[in-house]
Amino acid sequence: MNAMTLTTSSGGKIVNPNDEQIREALSALDVGRDDEGWAILEQTEMDYIQVSGDRTSSFAMEYQTSDTDRHYRAAREDFSLEQVVQAFADYRDGKIDYSAYGDWSRITW
């Protein structure tokens, strides 16, 4: 399996993050402070899961597999910190079930 890289809007990067590093990175997102808040966990440039938001306002979630024709956004935009930490950990471990997070819509560019 390829190395996973967790990158955040504050410029932080962690290669192969453990559960605690994922939790710390997502907890540190602060839209009010940074004017944006996002984190992306990528296996490759075209395969990743990402969130935007913060623990106060909640999170929106997206993922992409293979190419931009397979980019999806969750219908919900109210994911809790615990839910996005779990999603990132499951993605890292290769066992994510996106349907567990509700409906998804393909993004068309």
Side-chain angles (χ1 to χ4, degrees), residues 39-88:
I40 182 168
L41 181 59
E42 64 182 359
Q43 184 171 7
T44 70
E45 188 176 292
M46 291 296 187
D47 290 281
Y48 56 83
I49 186 170
Q50 66 185 21
V51 295
S52 59
D54 62 30
R55 63 183 177 197
T56 303
S57 63
S58 72
F59 295 90
M61 194 164 23
E62 297 180 12
Y63 74 92
Q64 180 173 295
T65 60
S66 305
D67 58 51
T68 56
D69 288 338
R70 293 180 181 89
H71 191 119
Y72 299 89
R73 176 179 292 133
R76 292 179 47 199
E77 295 185 351
D78 63 348
F79 291 102
S80 69
L81 175 63
E82 291 305 315
Q83 289 170 316
V84 296
V85 166
Q86 187 65 55
F88 271 49

Side-chain angles (χ1 to χ4, degrees), residues 76 79 83 90 96-104:
R76 292 179 47 199
F79 291 102
Q83 289 170 316
D90 286 350
I96 189 150
D97 175 5
Y98 292 107
S99 67
Y101 298 94
D103 294 329
W104 297 79

Side-chain angles (χ1 to χ4, degrees), residues 1-4 16 42-44 89-95:
M1 180 187 279
N2 292 342
M4 296 270 182
N16 293 327
E42 64 182 359
Q43 184 171 7
T44 70
D90 286 350
Y91 178 80
R92 179 204 57 212
D93 296 342
K95 61 178 189 175

